[in-house]
Amino acid sequence: MASKVIHALYNDDDLLLQAVKQIREGRYHIGEIYTPFPVHGLDKAMGLATTRIAIASFMYGIVGLGVAVAMMNFIMIEDWPQDIGGKPSFSYIQNMPAFVPIMFELTVFFAAHLMVITFYMRSKLWPFKKAENPDLRTTDDMFLVEIDASHHDVNDLTNFLYDTGAAEINLIEK
């Protein structure tokens, strides 16, 4: 049995937000929404769970701080200690004030780069990946809501979507 998907196109972001709220109140399942730019509040209107990227970023920063401390301790204290300006490098704690900028920079470096890599992996964005955009107008000026219509009457759902302000509705057989 082939599944049916309805693509409802809207031409305004405020109209899209209202439509998403009405679609959720109507107990229809929204598969995906394609927009030409980020729409503030759309994630809450769709009922999506909050992201854990901030927790991952904190953990990546801790990893960066640990790498910075281990690297500076090994390089400046154990491997090649130098007497610079009459200040010998006998312990890491004595020289830590000089290492604070490096610790800060490596913390930010690790957090930023590993967060970007995590985002790409989580979003399944690989190099040379083909775009999965169902309608090219969503990269310009239209907003598309993809709704699973397999378990609903298509005519009722189409009329409901037109009532929410959809400019165009297409039935897609997958």
Side-chain angles (χ1 to χ4, degrees), residues 64-78 81 88-104 106-107:
L65 181 65
V67 167
V69 168
M71 179 187 74
M72 288 181 300
N73 185 49
F74 178 73
I75 293 171
M76 299 300 289
I77 306 300
E78 294 175 17
S89 298
F90 292 132
S91 74
Y92 182 80
I93 299 297
Q94 288 177 334
N95 293 298
M96 197 166 92
F99 298 152
V100 168
I102 300 167
M103 292 187 316
F104 172 76
L106 280 177
T107 300

Side-chain angles (χ1 to χ4, degrees), residues 4-160:
K4 296 177 186 177
V5 175
I6 289 186
H7 288 171
L9 288 142
Y10 296 88
N11 51 15
D12 185 42
D13 57 337
D14 293 329
L15 189 61
L16 172 75
L17 267 176
Q18 277 302 105
V20 167
K21 290 175 185 173
Q22 292 173 0
I23 291 167
R24 292 221 34 219
E25 287 172 2
R27 305 258 187 234
Y28 295 109
H29 175 68
I30 298 173
E32 189 66 60
I33 296 180
Y34 299 90
T35 63
F37 55 84
V39 177
H40 181 70
L42 188 59
D43 53 342
K44 288 188 177 162
M46 288 178 66
L48 297 177
T50 56
T51 180
R52 295 183 302 263
I53 194 88
I55 296 167
S57 175
F58 178 75
M59 291 173 25
Y60 295 151
I62 295 296
V63 169
L65 181 65
V67 167
V69 168
M71 179 187 74
M72 288 181 300
N73 185 49
F74 178 73
I75 293 171
M76 299 300 289
I77 306 300
E78 294 175 17
D79 187 40
W80 196 303
Q82 297 179 24
D83 187 355
I84 301 172
K87 298 178 182 176
S89 298
F90 292 132
S91 74
Y92 182 80
I93 299 297
Q94 288 177 334
N95 293 298
M96 197 166 92
F99 298 152
V100 168
I102 300 167
M103 292 187 316
F104 172 76
E105 291 298 332
L106 280 177
T107 300
V108 172
F109 179 86
F110 270 71
H113 285 77
L114 292 175
M115 215 169 34
V116 168
I117 291 169
T118 301
F119 172 76
Y120 282 143
M121 289 173 57
R122 186 82 174 112
S123 301
K124 297 180 182 147
L125 293 173
W126 314 114
F128 310 109
K129 182 178 190 237
K130 188 176 180 233
E132 296 177 2
N133 198 355
D135 193 330
L136 288 178
R137 293 177 291 174
T138 60
T139 61
D140 187 25
D141 63 345
M142 297 295 278
F143 303 86
L144 185 139
V145 178
E146 186 177 87
I147 301 170
D148 182 23
S150 299
H151 307 294
H152 302 287
D153 182 33
V154 175
N155 292 328
D156 290 343
L157 182 54
T158 303
N159 291 334
F160 175 76

